[in-house]
Amino acid sequence: MAATDLAICNMALSRLGANLASSITSPTTKEETQCQAIFDNERDAVLEAHRWGFAEKIATLADSGDTPVGWTYAYTMPSDCLAPRLIYNPNETGEESIYTHDHDRAVRSGKIEFVERIKSDLATRQIWCNLLAAKLIYTATVTDPNLFNAMFTDALADKLASGLAIPLKGSAQLRDTFYQSYLLKIDHSTNAFMGSR
């Protein structure tokens, strides 16, 4: 079976014991409407939660020409960047950045630090760091389900089931059960990723 957003939604609905959907692009049922409402956000949340290999990209950052306070360079974030992960120096080996979700500086020995900021126009995301010609490793926004791997699809189905549990089943217990299952799958994926490094 070809991977589709609809198929992933039906995985989630099946786990909930809910009626399956025929379409989420032209919804006519409650199940379809709820799936359409949350699918994109839940997909992006699962992408952001882990460094999925299929969604990882690298790009040389473009200097924005701005002068950031306390930093040397302000780079324009790639337009498809969902989550910045690492910066490394293309001229040296073994140097990587560490990134914190609260966007504060992270200082680690041998690491290149950076922060994510928004330009004063409040419309442009930037990366601030002190490295010339910096390259960014990041999680891209991937919308083609044919690119998803099995572990991601399974985790996304649980995340969707958790988000659908209250509106479709009125069950906080089901919501919590599927959310915990989702977290375990993310933890397993992270441990597998770290073990491969």
Side-chain angles (χ1 to χ4, degrees):
M1 179 191 305
T4 63
D5 294 351
L6 177 63
I8 299 170
C9 285
N10 278 331
M11 287 176 62
L13 292 169
S14 179
R15 291 174 188 189
L16 283 172
N19 293 327
L20 299 186
S22 297
S23 172
I24 58 170
T25 55
S26 301
T28 59
T29 67
K30 184 177 182 179
E31 289 80 7
E32 293 168 355
T33 299
Q34 291 297 324
C35 284
Q36 183 192 57
I38 70 170
F39 184 86
D40 289 354
N41 188 70
E42 299 289 21
R43 178 201 62 222
D44 289 353
V46 181
L47 281 168
E48 193 170 358
H50 172 66
R51 287 181 63 187
W52 304 99
F54 70 85
E56 195 156 286
K57 293 179 70 174
I58 184 168
T60 300
L61 297 173
D63 195 326
S64 69
D66 298 326
T67 304
V69 177
W71 299 85
T72 308
Y73 301 100
Y75 296 104
T76 301
M77 187 86 74
S79 60
D80 64 343
C81 178
L82 183 63
R85 301 295 185 183
L86 301 169
I87 286 181
Y88 72 92
N89 187 336
N91 301 314
E92 298 180 27
T93 59
E95 289 194 43
E96 293 182 335
S97 72
I98 191 74
Y99 178 75
T100 55
H101 286 289
D102 61 5
H103 301 191
D104 289 334
R105 292 187 186 206
V107 181
R108 297 280 183 88
S109 176
K111 303 293 184 180
I112 299 169
E113 60 180 312
F114 73 100
V115 292
E116 177 183 354
R117 293 290 185 258
I118 192 162
K119 193 174 178 177
S120 58
D121 63 6
L122 302 181
T124 306
R125 295 167 66 205
Q126 294 183 328
I127 292 287
W128 294 1
C129 72
N130 296 321
L131 181 67
L132 177 65
K135 290 189 176 184
L136 178 69
I137 298 172
Y138 65 95
T139 296
T141 303
V142 177
T143 60
D144 182 355
N146 289 296
L147 298 177
F148 301 164
N149 64 31
M151 293 178 75
F152 175 85
T153 300
D154 193 27
L156 177 54
D158 274 354
K159 188 75 162 60
L160 286 165
S162 176
L164 294 167
I166 295 291
L168 296 183
K169 292 294 184 176
S171 174
Q173 181 178 356
L174 282 174
R175 177 199 62 197
D176 296 345
T177 296
F178 283 110
Y179 189 71
Q180 288 304 313
S181 178
Y182 156 73
L183 290 177
L184 287 172
K185 288 170 183 174
I186 291 296
D187 186 57
H188 175 74
S189 297
T190 300
N191 289 336
F193 174 80
M194 295 304 293
S196 68
R197 289 176 68 95

